[in-house]
Amino acid sequence: ITILDSAFSMTSILLDITTFAYPTVGSEDFECTVWDKNDMSTKISFTVTTEPAAPDITTYEDKILGAQASVTGSSFASADGTVYTLDQAKINSDKIDFLYFYGDPPNKATLAAPNDVDAATAFPGPNGLSFWTVKNPTKFKTTTLSSTDFDAIQSSSQLVTAATLPTQPTLTKANDLSVGDVLAFKTAGSYFGLIRVDAITGANNAGTIQITVKVQ
């Protein structure tokens, strides 16, 4: 690009130049050459490196939730990735987005909202869901995302697209889960997230589920 076309003879020149780097990750070399009226020249060069944008989502890895008869906490708060036991969850009920339980078919391995009817049956007693002050109405859906697709999601815009297309999460639970399943969820505060099932141990109410969670 020719910025200035003029005959001059000076020891230096100052020009303000606006240019644009290519909007993909990588490096570009720029070179600027100046000629005077005697066809003498000098040049400068510089490199612009475009780096990947920092992820604007939060990822919680290796989170293990226990079923209703397990000693491991069953309740999960996506705001900070904390896993709560049932007694802890009761006094922090406003923070709980979902619980894990193992039920009779067709439920089996299930992640459910605190307001889900089957979850209330799975967690009775004085610390049970019937006695929680807040029962957040989290919504779920099963996606067609692969584990590789899940790993590739690094931005909020990608996450929301994956969670809402072609349909929004509308179910109070995701049941009959298997390793590799990827679920979408929407919190009571209208934040979206994705859950990948990494492991399920014990096909009973004393087993556990291991998940990775990505949230806005």
Side-chain angles (χ1 to χ4, degrees), residues 62-99:
D62 301 325
K63 293 297 178 177
I64 298 176
L65 281 64
Q68 61 269 39
S70 172
V71 295
T72 303
S74 304
S75 304
F76 186 81
S78 63
D80 57 13
T82 300
V83 176
Y84 291 93
T85 57
L86 197 61
D87 58 332
Q88 294 170 335
K90 180 183 177 183
I91 61 176
N92 291 280
S93 60
D94 60 314
K95 300 178 181 179
I96 307 304
D97 295 307
F98 54 83
L99 305 90

Side-chain angles (χ1 to χ4, degrees), residues 112-132:
N115 71 333
D116 179 70
V117 174
D118 289 343
T121 301
F123 295 98
N127 292 317
L129 290 168
S130 298
F131 296 94
W132 286 20

Side-chain angles (χ1 to χ4, degrees), residues 100-117:
Y100 175 63
F101 72 89
Y102 197 96
D104 295 330
N107 282 327
K108 297 186 178 180
T110 302
L111 291 174
N115 71 333
D116 179 70
V117 174

Side-chain angles (χ1 to χ4, degrees), residues 146-214:
S146 68
S147 182
T148 301
D149 295 333
F150 177 88
D151 287 334
I153 291 175
Q154 297 294 321
S155 70
S156 181
S157 61
Q158 291 175 315
L159 189 154
V160 172
T161 297
T164 59
L165 294 180
T167 60
Q168 295 261 349
T170 59
L171 305 175
T172 59
K173 62 175 170 286
N175 58 10
D176 197 14
L177 297 174
S178 300
V179 173
D181 285 347
V182 177
L183 314 173
F185 68 94
K186 182 180 181 180
T187 70
S190 295
Y191 290 99
F192 289 97
L194 295 172
I195 304 166
R196 183 181 63 200
V197 179
D198 297 325
I200 296 174
T201 61
N204 53 59
N205 64 5
T208 61
I209 189 171
Q210 181 176 321
I211 57 175
T212 299
V213 182
K214 294 186 176 184

Side-chain angles (χ1 to χ4, degrees), residues 9 14 33 42 49 59 63-64 70 89 101 121 133 146 188 193 206:
S9 181
L14 177 63
T33 305
T42 188
T49 301
T59 301
K63 293 297 178 177
I64 298 176
S70 172
F101 72 89
T121 301
T133 304
S146 68

